[in-house]
Amino acid sequence: MREKIRILILEDNAADAELVQRELEKAGLSFVASIVAAKWEFLQQLDVFDPDIILSDYKLPGFDGISAMRVAVARKPEIPFIFVTGEMGEERAIDTLKEGATDYVLKQRLARLGPAVERALAEVEEKSQRRRAEENYRTVFETTGTAMCVLGEDSVVLSANRGFERLLGYAVGESEPEVRFKQVVSRDGSEVEDFYRYHREVLSGGGTDPVFFEVRVVHRDGRTLDVLASMGRLPGTRNSVLSLIDVTREKKFEGELKERAERLRDFLTVASHEIRHPITVIKGYTEMLEDVDIEIPEDMVADIYASMDDAADRLIRIVTELMDMSLIENDGIELDMTSCEMKELVLEAATDKRGWRADRHVEVEVLSDPGLATVDRVRFMYVLDELLDNADKYSPEGSPVSVTLEARAGIALVSVLDRGPGIPESDRERVFERFYQVEDALNHSQPGMGLGLYIVKQLLDAQGGKIWYEPRDGGGSAFRFSIPK
Ligand code: ADP
């Protein structure tokens, strides 16, 4: 508020204008006044003098108080307008108030003027404070990082901030179709009932303490989002204030962490089983060989040593896989890249059939010779061995396994093909993940810890290669990998 109140007085009688000012001084008001009588003067001073309040006579020659009030209300609605008049019937007075006048004071009871002016100015101040407070709330409402809205009857969104629009794709405004939150909230959300219960409570006048719950909502474009919601009653109303924080990413992450923990648990079970088996074999045979009371037939001794050797190989393989995994996860793989003849490596891998089923037939087909490629020889052979071992391990006795080699633009393409059970579509990407085993493998019909293909993929990635799975026409698996030339 300014230091001195600026009062525009519309009065054609100088003595009355004088009286009015004296009355205001008596009331202790500090003011400057501008006294006008003609219409043009009034209109001019409305802008130039920029009054805080207008006091107007009712009857003026050539310009009446009602017209002045209408102009003032239309042009400066925030300025209080008080009639100071000698005569004005009760009904007329009420009509002027309805039209926008702030108050009226009769000239014969001028003592009321001071308090009337003070009251009118106090109301203006209060209104502007309220407007500022509303503006502040609106700013907070809009700039808070969360999506917020106010819900009324039948979960109609009465107002919403831009965060709400960003989160759910719905704008709320006069030109927008009505949005009902119950159409946005997804029924499969875990705590959706909490939302409905609280909303009903608020509508029936309850729900004073805010509540927090998680719900699933559907964005206008069809995406499902997980949100953390807090809901409270808007004071003095039966509407609810709802704020929503998008936790879709966190939820997904939480799910992944849980799954990882489960997989790690499964892995420990599988790994201990895997290690135990060959140890039991070796221990059983050594005890048997040491026992002087047991006579072992001559022709069995070679078989026993072969079984012990297989078990030791199995253990070496397990330890190698674990060490490789640890290397990949911790320090990264160090490669020793040299230029190698692809055909030679593939032929060598297919010839080394140690530990394979006796009746397995492996065929190598060079569809087009890629010549040389730069690879880590040992790691490359590991990849081939692993894929060939899997082909042997997972396909039935007697069925053929083949390896093809071809030259493609800038790459050598190697495929390991079998006629085994193939891999279900839902598992085809996942078999390259750490510890992942297809359901049947989990039941442990075959040895393995779900690490082989993971290590293979990491080794190929490190050498600039790629691996993928394709089902084969007529059944079986095709594991294909590329290596840059
Ligand atoms: P594991 O050492 O347990 O065999 P891998 O990472 O080598 O683990 O393989 C992951 C899963 O992929 C296996 O559990 C198996 O079910 C499946 N799999 C791998 N190779 C083949 C294949 N040639 N045919 C069918 N299934 C396969």
Side-chain angles (χ1 to χ4, degrees):
M1 173 91 43
R2 291 183 277 217
E3 225 168 80
K4 283 192 172 184
I5 307 162
R6 302 174 74 77
I7 305 180
L8 179 60
I9 302 174
L10 180 59
E11 176 61 81
D12 62 324
N13 183 326
D16 279 1
E18 193 54 45
L19 265 176
V20 163
Q21 290 182 77
R22 208 166 313 134
E23 199 54 51
L24 294 173
E25 275 162 13
K26 246 204 282 175
L29 292 169
S30 165
F31 65 94
V32 279
S34 167
I35 298 149
V36 293
K39 183 176 179 180
W40 69 268
E41 267 184 312
F42 176 75
L43 295 178
Q44 184 198 49
Q45 289 299 75
L46 209 50
D47 289 324
V48 177
F49 183 62
D50 188 21
D52 296 313
I53 188 162
I54 302 164
L55 306 180
S56 168
D57 196 1
Y58 185 61
K59 271 195 184 143
L60 297 146
F63 186 39
D64 64 301
I66 289 286
S67 308
M69 179 200 74
R70 286 182 185 145
V71 173
V73 167
R75 287 185 26 190
K76 304 268 172 109
E78 69 285 1
I79 304 178
F81 192 105
I82 299 177
F83 279 110
V84 184
T85 171
E87 70 272 32
M88 188 188 246
E90 184 87 358
E91 245 172 63
R92 189 69 241 166
I94 290 170
D95 284 349
T96 59
L97 294 181
K98 274 193 201 146
E99 277 202 59
T102 314
D103 206 348
Y104 70 93
V105 174
L106 296 174
K107 283 184 178 168
Q108 42 288 30
R109 302 180 60 186
L110 220 45
R112 271 199 61 229
L113 186 61
V117 167
E118 277 174 343
R119 194 171 49 243
L121 291 173
E123 268 172 24
V124 170
E125 178 61 17
E126 198 185 305
K127 250 193 228 160
S128 88
Q129 271 178 10
R130 210 177 311 137
R131 202 179 47 242
R132 276 199 299 273
E134 270 167 20
E135 273 166 14
N136 285 347
Y137 276 116
R138 189 77 217 173
T139 310
V140 172
F141 189 59
E142 283 303 345
T143 53
T144 164
T146 43
M148 288 180 85
C149 67
V150 177
L151 301 183
E153 193 91 31
D154 203 22
S155 83
V156 168
V157 180
L158 301 174
S159 62
N161 66 359
R162 278 192 289 277
F164 182 88
E165 187 184 339
R166 268 196 302 275
L167 182 73
L168 292 167
Y170 295 99
V172 177
E174 276 168 25
S175 54
E176 300 290 334
E178 207 167 60
V179 183
R180 281 187 172 71
F181 194 69
K182 68 178 185 189
Q183 289 162 350
V184 174
V185 74
S186 159
R187 273 272 157 200
D188 75 351
S190 46
E191 293 169 1
V192 66
E193 285 314 324
D194 288 355
F195 160 73
Y196 282 109
R197 192 176 327 110
Y198 190 76
H199 186 51
R200 276 196 300 274
E201 257 178 56
V202 170
L203 284 174
S204 57
T208 41
D209 294 330
V211 285
F212 301 88
F213 43 84
E214 280 180 20
V215 280
R216 192 160 278 176
V217 290
V218 184
H219 187 280
R220 198 176 193 166
D221 67 12
R223 270 180 302 134
T224 303
L225 306 169
D226 289 304
V227 296
L228 193 63
S230 78
M231 199 167 177
R233 184 147 69 95
L234 192 65
T237 70
R238 293 190 173 200
N239 300 329
S240 323
V241 187
L242 183 67
S243 62
L244 308 167
I245 298 173
D246 186 358
V247 289
T248 314
R249 262 180 36 206
E250 288 75 3
K251 274 273 178 198
K252 190 167 163 248
F253 188 55
E254 196 183 301
E256 281 168 8
L257 274 184
K258 238 192 227 162
E259 201 191 312
R260 269 177 155 244
E262 264 167 34
R263 294 243 300 271
L264 187 61
R265 252 197 334 263
D266 285 348
F267 168 72
L268 289 174
T269 315
V270 170
S272 37
H273 179 96
E274 282 294 305
I275 293 168
R276 197 186 162 83
H277 181 72
I279 289 178
T280 314
V281 171
I282 294 170
K283 187 74 185 152
Y285 282 135
T286 45
E287 279 172 4
M288 199 167 125
L289 291 169
E290 275 170 3
D291 194 335
V292 286
D293 296 336
I294 301 178
E295 225 173 90
I296 303 166
E298 197 71 19
D299 57 339
M300 264 187 72
V301 175
D303 285 349
I304 289 174
Y305 281 125
S307 297
M308 287 170 74
D309 194 40
D310 280 352
D313 277 350
R314 184 73 216 139
L315 276 176
I316 290 169
R317 191 178 183 112
I318 291 168
V319 173
T320 310
E321 280 189 357
L322 289 174
M323 281 168 65
D324 279 347
M325 180 184 74
S326 145
L327 206 65
I328 288 165
E329 310 257 313
N330 296 316
D331 312 322
I333 313 155
E334 252 181 51
L335 298 173
D336 178 14
M337 304 289 274
T338 52
S339 188
C340 300
E341 189 72 50
M342 287 288 101
K343 194 163 74 178
E344 183 204 319
L345 299 191
V346 170
L347 283 168
E348 187 183 321
T351 330
D352 178 17
K353 295 193 289 178
R354 250 178 311 165
W356 284 28
R357 295 177 204 252
D359 58 352
R360 182 71 67 216
H361 177 69
V362 186
E363 210 168 79
V364 176
E365 214 179 331
V366 179
L367 302 171
S368 50
D369 189 353
L372 295 169
T374 309
V375 292
D376 179 315
R377 194 177 202 282
V378 175
R379 309 288 193 189
F380 187 86
M381 291 308 280
Y382 181 98
V383 167
L384 269 173
D385 284 346
E386 189 62 35
L387 294 177
L388 282 164
D389 282 355
N390 274 353
D392 175 61
K393 196 161 83 174
Y394 293 107
S395 39
E397 277 178 33
S399 80
V401 169
S402 55
V403 186
T404 63
L405 175 67
E406 48 193 304
R408 292 268 177 98
I411 57 160
L413 179 68
V414 184
S415 308
V416 176
L417 314 157
D418 67 48
R419 289 287 177 203
I423 293 180
E425 198 173 343
S426 54
D427 296 313
R428 284 175 196 162
E429 292 273 329
R430 306 204 63 190
V431 287
F432 299 104
E433 290 176 15
R434 198 175 63 150
F435 311 146
Y436 197 84
Q437 293 186 302
V438 180
E439 201 57 48
D440 248 12
L442 270 179
N443 297 335
H444 251 84
S445 49
Q446 293 294 344
M449 298 186 291
L451 279 178
L453 290 177
Y454 166 74
I455 295 170
V456 159
K457 182 175 170 5
Q458 301 302 315
L459 292 179
L460 283 171
D461 281 354
Q463 294 176 72
K466 273 199 185 78
I467 182 161
W468 65 97
Y469 174 89
E470 282 172 22
R472 282 184 83 190
D473 283 345
S477 300
F479 280 92
R480 300 190 197 279
F481 67 90
S482 66
I483 208 87
K485 283 205 285 177

